[in-house]
């Protein structure tokens, strides 16, 4: 079985503006990095359905987004988050990719999957667009798995340099979902303290700027991976942000490409023991195009190399 790489040209149509870090070139960089990896298969992402979307997002919020959809130009939903013609379908492709990947895994048609889609999702809350994000793909995917597949427990692991405030807020009262995040602190969005533990299902691993590979690997080795092992999920979802890379303009965690291989392998090893290796990964941040191509390639190669 192969590693699915899901994408769609619609994701290029989301245009937050020429000077915005979250540019359409990001997806092209990722695709250049992950295309042709041995053991992988490229497939187009479907749109998420309204039913999938509304397991996470308030209907009133989504109506507000639909009403704001511009015929041309763009509108700001917050100081960093814009809606252009095409943004809604881009977000729905990214959320749909994650749900489709889960279907493929539970139907035994794929080994694991990486959604090479944009915009990112982990800052979006149930009723709030935020931090470049319109819909929370990993949250929608987790709720989809719990609703339609025999998954009782889902773990979401987030190594983006920013804390996934949206994912945490959505699940902080949901013991069936474990959320573990390593992130730089202090940094946007300002949440993600170790003291934020939800109902015992949130594990935040804040890291200081400049701490690099050693602190990152130590946090996951000593805390993140043991917590994942103890939780024994039926499915692992990765919020794969590559903005903790040393070349990234938005973060200062100074990770290398090899750190993304390492964390991916480490997660897959636990998933092999507890959930038949069911892992899907969704692109979040990563804003230096060369680093994004190289680190997403390292990540996808590690997914494709697992058994
Ligand atoms: Zn980020």
């Amino acid at each position: 079985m192969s590693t699915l790489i899901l994408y769609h040209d619609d994701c290029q149509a989301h245009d937050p503006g020429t000077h915005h870090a979250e540019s359409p070139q990001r997806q092209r960089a990722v695709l250049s990095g992950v295309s042709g990896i041995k053991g992988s298969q490229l497939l187009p992402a479907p749109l998420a359905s309204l039913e999938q979307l509304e397991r996470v997002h308030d209907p009133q919020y989504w109506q507000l987004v639909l009403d704001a959809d511009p015929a041309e130009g763009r509108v700001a939903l917050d100081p960093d988050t814009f809606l252009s013609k095409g943004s809604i379908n881009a977000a729905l492709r990214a959320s749909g990719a994650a749900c489709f990947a889960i279907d493929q895994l539970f139907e035994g048609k794929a080994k694991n999957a990486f959604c090479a889609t944009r915009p990112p999702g982990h800052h979006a809350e149930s009723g709030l667009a935020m931090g470049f994000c319109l819909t929370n793909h990993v949250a929608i995917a987790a709720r989809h798995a719990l609703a339609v597949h025999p998954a009782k427990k889902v773990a979401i692991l987030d190594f983006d340099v920013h804390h996934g405030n949206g994912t945490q807020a959505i699940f902080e009262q949901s013991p069936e979902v474990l959320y573990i995040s390593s992130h730089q602190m202090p940094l946007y969005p300002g949440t993600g303290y170790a003291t934020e533990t939800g109902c015992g299902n949130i594990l935040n691993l804040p890291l200081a700027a400049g701490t690099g590979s050693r602190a990152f690997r130590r946090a996951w080795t000593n805390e993140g991976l043991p917590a994942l092992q103890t939780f024994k999920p039926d499915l692992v979802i990765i919020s794969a942000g590559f903005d903790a890379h040393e070349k990234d303009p938005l973060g200062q965690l100074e990770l290398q490409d090899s750190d993304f291989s390492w964390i991916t392998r480490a997660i897959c090893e636990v998933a092999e023991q507890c959930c038949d290796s069911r892992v899907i990964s969704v692109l979040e941040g990563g804003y230096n195009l060369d680093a994004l191509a190289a680190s997403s390639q390292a990540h996808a190669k590690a997914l494709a190399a697992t058994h």
Side-chain angles (χ1 to χ4, degrees), residues 11-257:
C11 293
Q12 308 274 9
H14 169 55
D15 176 17
T18 45
H19 299 296
H20 201 288
E22 206 288 283
S23 70
Q25 290 96 298
R26 294 183 64 244
Q27 196 192 25
R28 288 197 280 277
V30 172
L31 286 174
S32 76
V34 303
S35 296
I37 290 175
K38 190 166 174 267
S40 73
Q41 183 189 4
L42 211 56
L43 282 181
L47 294 164
S49 68
L50 194 60
E51 185 184 14
Q52 290 168 343
L53 186 83
E54 289 188 350
R55 287 193 189 108
V56 166
H57 292 287
D58 297 341
Q60 299 93 314
Y61 161 70
W62 193 242
Q63 191 57 50
L64 190 140
V65 173
L66 294 176
D67 290 345
D69 188 11
E72 58 184 54
R74 62 188 69 85
V75 293
L77 299 178
D78 88 350
D80 305 314
T81 313
F82 296 88
L83 202 61
S84 71
K85 185 172 160 56
S87 297
I88 289 174
N89 270 3
L92 290 177
R93 292 286 178 195
S95 295
C99 294
F100 177 74
I102 284 169
D103 294 341
Q104 294 287 298
L105 258 60
F106 277 97
E107 289 165 19
K109 294 176 181 167
K111 181 168 67 178
N112 51 32
F114 175 56
C115 304
T117 48
R118 63 178 283 276
H122 71 157
H123 295 305
E125 300 185 4
S126 291
L128 192 67
M130 187 174 156
F132 315 166
C133 305
L134 304 173
T135 59
N136 193 314
H137 320 307
V138 295
I140 290 168
R143 284 273 175 245
H144 176 68
L146 291 162
V148 309
H149 292 292
K152 291 192 167 56
K153 292 190 289 183
V154 176
I156 300 175
L157 311 182
D158 186 334
F159 53 73
D160 188 280
V161 80
H162 304 97
H163 179 241
N165 61 290
T167 311
Q168 175 172 301
I170 289 162
F171 293 116
E172 60 192 350
Q173 299 305 326
S174 302
E176 68 277 18
V177 176
L178 172 71
Y179 178 61
I180 307 176
S181 172
S182 63
H183 45 271
Q184 183 178 323
M185 195 154 212
L187 191 68
Y188 181 90
T191 52
Y193 288 92
T195 49
E196 297 163 21
T197 56
C199 57
N201 65 330
I202 306 289
L203 176 60
N204 284 311
L205 306 170
L207 300 166
T211 46
S213 301
R214 192 176 292 185
F216 174 78
R217 295 189 186 203
R218 191 168 50 221
W220 280 99
T221 301
N222 292 349
E223 296 186 72
L225 295 166
L228 178 65
Q229 229 149 7
T230 302
F231 185 67
K232 293 189 175 59
D234 302 306
L235 169 72
V236 173
I237 301 176
I238 303 176
S239 262
F242 300 103
D243 42 9
H245 194 283
E246 64 171 351
K247 289 183 186 161
D248 198 277
L250 300 195
Q252 294 79 36
L253 273 190
E254 300 182 2
L255 299 190
Q256 318 285 321
D257 303 340

